[in-house]
């Protein structure tokens, strides 16, 4: 009788250790597992994540629009595309450096491999900014944006032939509509300027 009582108490203690967290001991597998979030918590987290995504998409939209309109204004007043490009990129580097220095951004040490990999991309980005700045005073902002959209089609073609990327029929249709829209736009452009189109 006494043995059964001791065994029952020992079993109860073992069960309590498995189900209840003991102070200072979180190694127990039963206590270390986190509870799955309740549906209301999961919904709230999903809504917060969606709100954050929408916020940053809006900020990207706002930055893109204001930068394009602002660049046109600057280039109409001051036709020095190289200097504007240098100032814009230099300011971006300065902000990144200050952010890393203040601990807001994590920046790993540079290596020669990084310089080799990103040198081509940086060169093409600079050329893209420079040509946009040269074109903006001569043509409508919508023309510059339309040409950027056409770049998406060309990039998709290169992606398909060079990297074997597959596109669904809906994606191909969307790229085709973009191409047709660009052709219609260019053929009816009332602000046509040959130098603007060249840039």
């Amino acid at each position: 009788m006494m043995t059964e009582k001791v065994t029952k108490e020992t079993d109860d203690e073992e069960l309590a250790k498995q189900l209840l967290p003991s102070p200072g001991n979180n190694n127990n597998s039963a206590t270390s597992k986190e509870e799955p979030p309740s549906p209301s918590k999961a919904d709230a987290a999903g809504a917060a994540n969606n709100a954050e995504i929408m916020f940053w998409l809006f900020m990207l939209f706002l930055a893109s629009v204001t930068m394009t309109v602002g660049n046109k204004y600057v280039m109409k007043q001051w036709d020095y595309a190289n200097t504007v490009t240098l100032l814009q990129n230099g300011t971006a580097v300065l902000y990144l450096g200050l952010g890393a220095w203040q601990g807001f951004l994590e920046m790993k040490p540079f290596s020669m491999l990084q310089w080799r990999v990103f040198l081509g991309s940086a060169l093409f980005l600079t050329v893209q900014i420079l040509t946009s700045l040269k074109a903006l005073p001569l043509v409508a902002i919508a023309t510059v944006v339309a040409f950027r959209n056409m770049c998406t089609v060309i990039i998709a073609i290169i992606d398909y032939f060079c990297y074997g990327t597959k596109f669904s029929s809906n994606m191909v249709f969307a790229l085709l509509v973009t191409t047709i829209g660009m052709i219609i736009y260019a053929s009816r452009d009332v602000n046509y300027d040959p130098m603007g189109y060249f840039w």
Side-chain angles (χ1 to χ4, degrees), residues 1-153:
M1 185 81 174
M2 190 65 147
T3 309
E4 289 177 4
K5 187 176 180 183
V6 170
T7 306
K8 186 175 183 308
E9 286 176 1
T10 307
D11 291 341
D12 289 343
E13 287 173 6
E14 288 297 322
L15 185 61
K17 283 181 184 176
Q18 290 177 359
L19 297 177
L20 300 173
S22 58
N25 182 15
N26 292 327
N27 295 330
N28 196 330
S29 61
T31 59
S32 62
K33 291 181 182 176
E34 294 182 7
E35 291 183 17
S38 63
S40 59
K41 286 182 181 177
D43 292 343
N49 189 41
N50 289 341
E52 185 179 0
I53 290 170
M54 292 305 295
F55 170 77
W56 287 113
L57 284 174
F58 173 75
M59 292 303 292
L60 176 64
F61 159 80
L62 187 65
S64 180
V65 170
T66 53
M67 191 176 80
T68 305
V69 175
N71 280 344
K72 176 154 185 144
Y73 175 79
V74 168
M75 290 303 297
K76 277 188 163 291
Q77 306 298 321
W78 195 52
D79 189 18
Y80 294 99
N82 292 333
T83 308
V84 173
T85 303
L86 180 64
L87 288 172
Q88 287 181 347
N89 288 315
T91 304
V93 171
L94 181 65
Y95 282 155
L96 290 172
L98 285 173
W101 180 55
Q102 291 295 319
F104 296 122
L105 301 170
E106 182 184 351
M107 194 175 289
K108 296 180 180 177
F110 292 110
S111 67
M112 283 306 297
L113 178 62
Q114 287 175 309
W115 286 105
R116 286 199 299 269
V117 167
F118 292 110
L119 187 62
S121 298
L123 178 66
F124 285 123
L125 177 63
T126 305
V127 170
Q128 186 241 328
I129 294 170
L130 184 65
T131 53
S132 293
L133 289 173
K134 296 294 283 184
L136 278 169
L138 305 172
V139 295
I141 294 173
T143 304
V144 176
V145 175
F147 270 90
R148 285 183 191 164
N149 290 340
M150 198 61 206
C151 288
T152 306
V153 178

